Amino acid sequence: MKDNELFQIGEVSRLFHVSVSILRHYDKIGLLKPEYVDEETGYRYYSTRQFECLNTIRYLRALDLPLEQISGFLQNRDTDHIAELLRHQKEEVRRRMQELELIERKINNRLVQLEDAADSELDVIKIVKKPSRRVAAVKKKLTPRNYLDLEQSIRQLEAEEENTVVFLGKVGVGISAEHLKIRQYLPYDMVFVILDEEDQFRGETLLLEPETCVTIRFQGSHERAAGYYDKMLDYIEGQGYLVSGFSKELTMIDYGLTNDTSKFVTEIQIPVWKKEKL
């Protein structure tokens, strides 16, 4: 093969397993211009001496280096330069691996939540010990009819955050202990987000100690909650418990996850402590 032998763009595409459109893009940005372009036909021709350059581009792209950095290297080929590029790319790969591990944990959390919600035993009061949890909350009066009515409060919570998707499936509303004791269910006193361990949240958060909760799950959303609060508070009084904190009313499955309203699941948690006998 002679150094000055020319190959049409289609031939180069097949030889290097690079699409014609990519070769045209490389030409357009000045990364790899053809050796010769026929003025009459517009056909692009590449010489064999360009093959090494194209192979270098393919190698560095396989390492996911940006085209801008590849172009800079081709204009200043040097062992120190390529070593610096590779070290920088190695650190970038490590950073992205950490991001992917974080995403994997978030996916696993949501899968566990979905499986738990799908297996819910509905309309049954239970006593459940909840672990320590970290929440971000906005105290404000609101009367949501559905999840759309919470949007403004959610936007307020995430205004300073980089990653809004962390809130999917973990937004709830709460009623203070004082209002629960007098059975005043509307308006709600707060909107909150339960944060996963890996969630990075810049705003103020509250760490809840482990608590014993009376819980119930039901089909539907916030508009059906009032009757369940009455049922739960009757149970709490009958069992000799006292309300010890604000309620957590979480839509485990709602429009954020499905359009099928028959699959909506909401859970109410009311923290309690046992009243001592006199």
Side-chain angles (χ1 to χ4, degrees):
M1 184 180 294
K2 298 178 181 179
D3 288 346
N4 60 353
E5 188 173 355
L6 296 179
F7 294 81
Q8 290 186 0
I9 191 171
E11 295 176 296
V12 176
S13 171
R14 290 189 294 273
L15 282 170
F16 286 89
H17 303 287
V18 176
S19 71
V20 169
S21 61
I22 286 179
L23 290 172
R24 287 173 176 161
H25 179 62
Y26 290 171
D27 178 14
K28 182 178 180 181
I29 64 174
L31 184 62
L32 180 67
K33 302 191 84 57
E35 182 79 13
Y36 168 71
V37 178
D38 190 306
E39 294 182 359
E40 293 185 4
T41 64
Y43 289 169
R44 294 169 171 86
Y45 294 89
Y46 295 81
S47 68
T48 52
R49 62 185 176 185
Q50 293 179 292
F51 286 5
E52 182 181 357
C53 181
L54 180 55
N55 204 45
T56 299
I57 294 171
R58 289 174 65 238
Y59 170 70
L60 295 178
R61 283 302 292 150
L63 300 180
D64 207 26
L65 264 74
L67 292 177
E68 183 178 352
Q69 290 185 19
I70 295 174
S71 177
F73 171 71
L74 293 176
Q75 294 171 30
N76 179 27
R77 296 195 197 191
D78 180 77
T79 54
D80 290 340
H81 190 184
I82 190 64
E84 180 185 356
L85 282 177
L86 293 177
R87 281 193 292 267
H88 180 271
Q89 188 65 4
K90 183 179 179 180
E91 291 303 313
E92 178 66 14
V93 168
R94 285 178 176 171
R95 184 189 65 78
R96 283 155 57 184
M97 286 174 63
Q98 291 175 345
E99 288 182 350
L100 289 173
E101 288 174 358
L102 179 63
I103 291 170
E104 182 182 21
R105 291 199 296 271
K106 289 182 178 181
I107 290 172
N108 286 337
N109 289 338
R110 295 290 73 73
L111 286 172
V112 168
Q113 177 191 348
L114 283 170
E115 292 169 2
D116 181 30
D119 294 335
S120 292
E121 190 175 5
L122 301 178
D123 301 333
V124 177
I125 293 177
K126 297 181 180 180
I127 298 177
V128 179
K129 292 188 179 297
K130 295 292 183 180
S132 176
R133 293 174 286 180
R134 187 167 58 107
V135 301
V138 173
K139 292 184 178 180
K140 61 183 302 183
K141 302 297 182 183
L142 66 164
T143 308
R145 294 178 297 277
N146 55 51
Y147 83 105
L148 291 174
D149 294 327
L150 299 178
E151 284 299 303
Q152 184 177 356
S153 298
I154 296 170
R155 299 290 83 76
Q156 183 178 346
L157 275 171
E158 65 184 21
E160 301 299 325
E161 304 306 311
E162 295 179 356
N163 191 359
T164 59
V165 76
V166 301
F167 297 160
L168 183 60
K170 299 182 294 180
V171 177
V173 289
I175 302 172
S176 68
E178 292 72 23
H179 289 154
L180 287 171
K181 289 171 185 177
I182 61 174
R183 303 201 178 204
Q184 180 180 319
Y185 309 136
L186 288 175
Y188 290 96
D189 296 303
M190 70 186 73
V191 59
F192 64 87
V193 174
I194 296 179
L195 299 168
D196 288 331
E197 181 180 351
E198 62 273 11
D199 285 339
Q200 300 296 318
F201 190 84
R202 297 179 180 180
E204 185 177 349
T205 62
L206 172 66
L207 182 64
L208 302 178
E209 297 297 327
E211 54 190 5
T212 299
C213 291
V214 171
T215 70
I216 196 168
R217 293 181 180 182
F218 60 90
Q219 180 185 4
S221 190
H222 304 294
E223 72 279 358
R224 296 195 59 208
Y228 289 98
Y229 276 106
D230 276 331
K231 185 177 180 180
M232 295 173 75
L233 290 170
D234 288 343
Y235 177 88
I236 288 168
E237 292 174 7
Q239 295 297 315
Y241 287 101
L242 293 174
V243 175
S244 62
F246 69 91
S247 66
K248 291 93 180 162
E249 185 178 321
L250 292 155
T251 48
M252 302 177 69
I253 299 179
D254 62 10
Y255 278 113
L257 300 173
T258 179
N259 288 323
D260 186 352
T261 57
S262 69
K263 294 182 179 179
F264 284 14
V265 176
T266 298
E267 178 177 90
I268 301 174
Q269 306 167 8
I270 300 179
V272 296
W273 61 278
K274 193 70 172 180
K275 184 165 53 178
E276 294 183 6
K277 295 182 179 179
L278 298 177

